[in-house]
Each structure stands twice: as structure tokens, then as C-alpha cells.
């Protein structure tokens, strides 16, 4: 497929292609398209899906240049890395992904959660399965990445229930941890698509890794998500929270009713949410079964388990 973009002056081409054609090479690597300048037009050749994505990015660079008369190299690189034209978040808190679907709060609790994600550098979200804790966090992260507000997206979770002890499992370390990281990959796959996810992973724009990989690092200009936070110890949670660097956002999600740690160990999520609630720059949002947005059966399952638990409590007290 070929598309053409009219060019008004040579400076637009120099801005878009970059010094020594460095940006043109990025287009070829990231989108698999070839760029050609001919008769005052920029031509893009490649597969239809790739050309459409590349054209969107090129037009955003040119539009910014025309509005301001200039655009620096760093800003161009951020737009190219994002793989989509940045756009501001609408005021109602909705998040738009690259497939033009609208992602936004479907319950009052989710509305509070998105507001917490928008206004706070660090946000804790606690709630049962099916309330959109992880998906909305990833959606906001992808949006901020595309807006150029952050440079990287880092997603992590405890690899196994208590202490990430994987030695007894067969296979390579990667094979051992991948099943635990699968839900994060699923959310990314849905939000950015397999082709762009692969490009982001290859260029380290997106990193999905076990919690143990966070130790000793300082994560700057990143959107960092810790999923299944209820299965961290207090020491692990402190280690994770103190990885936050300049220009970063951090989100911790989890369900405190599904703690898989040994009885003698306190959940790092429960401890941190109680300790940090009210601290400047930190939001703590609690969702409940009324915020479940999965299949209606999921809410009925939660209700059934809650009823059984209440029944046991009453029997034990009689």
C-alpha cells in the first residue's frame, strides 16, 4: 500500500526524517514502511496496517511543526516511539486506545479510580476480581506513553505466591515466570495490538517482568504498575515503592481477599495502603462488588462466596 502526504517546505522533511535520516530508519524499523520524498510529497510504502499507523505519526509530527514553526528532536523521538499520535485525555477521564474504542469508567468506583490515576503520582487500587483494576491502569499507562508524558511502561507482579520461589519448576526462568505475567500481556495485547506490542518490547519501551527484577533499580520517566500487590510482603512492597524515580507514575493493584502469603506474613498491599493513605501525592481507591464489569456471572460468584463466608462466621460464633 502507498500513501502520500503533501509537504509545504523542505524544513518539514528535515524535521520528519531527522539528522542523517535517523527518524526515517526508525520508521522502517518500527513500522516496516519505506519513506520516499518526491515532487513535494512524502510517500510511504508498506503493508496497509503499518502504513496507516506510520502515516498517523508522520502527520502528527508535521502538524506540530506547522503550529509552532519548530519541534525539537526529543519530541519527535517521543512521538515516533509511541507509535500513535498523542492526544490529550478528555476532561471526563475517558481513555482512548489505538483501536479508537472508548475506554472509560463504567461505575462510580471506576470513575474515582481513573481520577486517582490522573491526579496522583502513586495510586493504590484495592478491589475484587473483575473490577478493571489492572486493565484501566494499563490503559492509562498506554495513553500517557502515547502522549509523551512518560517514556516507558513497566508492568510487574509477584512471580509466585510467597517469595517468588521458582526453583522447583521445570524449564528456563522465562518459561517459569511467563504464566504469572500472562494477564499483563493480555491487557497490553488488547490495548495496543500484537504488532505494536512486539515493537515496544523489542525497543524496551514496554517491559513486563517479575517483581524480583525491580530490586536495585531507579525507574525514571516511567509508568510502573504492580499487579497482584496483595501477594507481596511488606519488605517487597517497600522495595518496589522506593524504585520510583523522577517523572514517573506508580500504580499498585490487588485484591486483599485473595492473599496467598503464609498466614504469618502480612500483605504488603494492606500495610502500604493503610500507612500511605492521606500522604500527599498518593491516592488509595477501594472498589467493591458493585464495580465488577465482567460477565454477570462473576458478580454472582463473588456473592456466593461472600454468603458462604458470612455463614461460616455466624456458625463459628454460635
Amino acid at each position: 500500500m502507498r500513501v502520500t502526504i503533501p509537504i509545504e517546505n523542505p524544513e518539514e522533511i528535515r524535521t520528519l526524517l531527522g539528522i542523517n535520516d535517523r527518524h526515517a530508519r526508525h520508521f522502517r524499523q518500527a513500522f516496516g514502511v519505506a519513506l520516499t520524498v518526491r515532487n513535494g510529497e512524502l510517500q510511504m510504502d508498506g503493508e496497509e496496517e503499518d502504513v496507516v499507523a506510520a502515516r498517523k505519526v508522520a502527520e502528527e509530527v508535521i502538524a506540530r511543526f506547522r503550529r509552532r514553526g519548530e519541534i525539537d528532536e526529543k519530541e519527535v523521538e517521543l512521538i515516533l516511539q509511541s507509535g500513535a499520535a498523542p492526544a490529550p485525555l478528555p476532561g471526563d477521564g475517558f481513555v482512548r486506545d489505538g483501536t479508537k474504542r472508548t475506554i472509560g469508567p463504567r461505575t462510580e468506583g471506576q470513575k474515582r479510580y481513573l481520577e486517582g490515576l490522573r491526579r496522583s503520582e502513586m495510586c493504590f487500587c484495592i478491589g475484587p476480581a473483575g473490577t478493571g483494576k489492572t486493565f484501566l491502569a494499563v490503559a492509562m499507562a498506554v495513553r500517557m506513553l502515547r502522549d509523551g508524558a512518560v517514556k516507558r511502561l513497566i508492568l510487574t507482579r509477584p512471580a509466585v505466591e510467597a517469595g517468588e520461589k521458582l526453583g522447583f519448576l521445570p524449564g528456563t526462568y522465562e518459561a517459569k515466570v511467563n504464566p504469572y505475567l500472562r494477564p499483563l500481556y493480555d491487557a497490553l495485547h488488547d490495548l495496543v495490538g500484537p504488532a505494536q506490542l512486539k515493537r515496544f518490547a523489542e525497543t524496551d519501551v514496554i517491559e513486563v517482568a517479575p517483581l524480583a527484577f525491580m530490586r536495585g533499580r531507579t525507574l525514571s520517566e516511567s509508568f510502573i504498575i504492580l499487579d497482584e500487590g496483595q501477594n507481596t510482603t511488606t519488605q517487597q512492597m517497600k522495595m518496589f515503592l522506593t524504585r520510583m524515580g523522577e517523572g514517573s507514575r506508580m500504580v499498585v493493584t490487588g485484591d486483599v481477599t485473595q492473599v496467598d502469603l503464609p498466614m504469618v506474613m502480612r500483605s504488603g498491599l494492606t500495610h502500604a495502603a493503610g500507612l500511605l493513605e492521606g500522604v500527599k501525592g498518593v491516592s488509595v481507591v477501594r472498589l467493591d462488588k458493585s464495580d465488577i464489569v465482567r460477565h454477570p456471572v462473576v458478580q454472582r460468584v463473588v456473592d456466593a462466596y461472600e454468603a458462604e463466608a458470612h455463614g461460616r462466621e455466624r456458625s463459628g460464633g454460635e
Side-chain angles (χ1 to χ4, degrees), residues 84-120:
L89 285 172
D92 60 7
F94 280 71
V95 181
R96 292 187 181 275
D97 69 11
T99 64
K100 298 183 180 180
R101 293 183 297 123
T102 297
I103 298 172
R106 295 168 59 182
T107 69
E108 284 301 312
Q110 288 189 348
K111 187 174 181 179
R112 286 187 282 104
Y113 180 29
L114 273 182
E115 183 59 31
L117 291 173
R118 288 168 60 90
R119 73 170 187 265
S120 304

Side-chain angles (χ1 to χ4, degrees), residues 72-282:
D72 61 36
E73 285 281 303
K74 182 178 179 181
E75 186 174 358
V76 174
E77 289 173 4
L78 285 172
I79 297 171
L80 292 174
Q81 287 174 6
S82 74
L89 285 172
D92 60 7
F94 280 71
V95 181
R96 292 187 181 275
D97 69 11
T99 64
K100 298 183 180 180
R101 293 183 297 123
T102 297
I103 298 172
R106 295 168 59 182
T107 69
E108 284 301 312
Q110 288 189 348
K111 187 174 181 179
R112 286 187 282 104
Y113 180 29
L114 273 182
E115 183 59 31
L117 291 173
R118 288 168 60 90
R119 73 170 187 265
S120 304
E121 287 84 6
M122 183 178 291
C123 180
F124 293 84
C125 184
I126 299 170
T131 51
K133 303 184 299 295
T134 303
F135 189 78
L136 287 175
V138 175
M140 182 64 79
V142 170
R143 182 70 274 164
M144 291 187 68
L145 181 66
R146 287 173 169 164
D147 285 348
V150 295
K151 292 183 178 179
R152 301 185 64 206
L153 198 172
I154 299 172
L155 304 100
T156 186
R157 62 181 351 213
V160 293
E161 286 74 9
E164 303 184 343
K165 298 176 181 178
L166 301 172
F168 67 93
L169 294 173
T172 64
Y173 190 77
E174 184 179 51
K176 294 174 182 181
V177 302
N178 271 346
Y180 297 98
L181 303 177
R182 188 73 254 169
L184 299 177
Y185 281 112
D186 289 344
L188 284 168
H189 186 282
D190 192 28
L191 285 162
V192 303
Q196 193 173 69
L197 175 56
K198 182 179 179 181
R199 288 192 291 266
F200 279 157
E202 288 173 348
T203 56
D204 290 328
V205 173
I206 289 179
E207 176 185 352
V208 184
L211 180 60
F213 282 29
M214 300 299 111
R215 190 174 299 277
R217 302 173 63 183
T218 299
L219 306 173
S220 301
E221 298 182 273
S222 303
F223 197 112
I224 313 142
I225 300 173
L226 170 60
D227 191 35
E228 298 291 340
Q230 78 276 5
N231 287 330
T232 63
T233 64
T234 54
Q235 293 84 359
Q236 287 174 323
M237 181 63 76
K238 180 181 177 182
M239 178 276 292
F240 172 75
L241 297 178
T242 54
R243 299 309 93 199
M244 187 175 180
E246 289 293 326
S248 287
R249 293 289 187 95
M250 186 170 276
V251 181
V252 181
T253 68
D255 179 357
V256 294
T257 68
Q258 296 187 22
V259 177
D260 295 310
L261 296 169
M263 292 286 288
V264 295
M265 302 181 74
R266 187 178 184 183
S267 167
L269 175 58
T270 303
H271 175 258
L275 182 68
L276 300 177
E277 189 164 13
V279 171
K280 184 178 180 180
V282 178

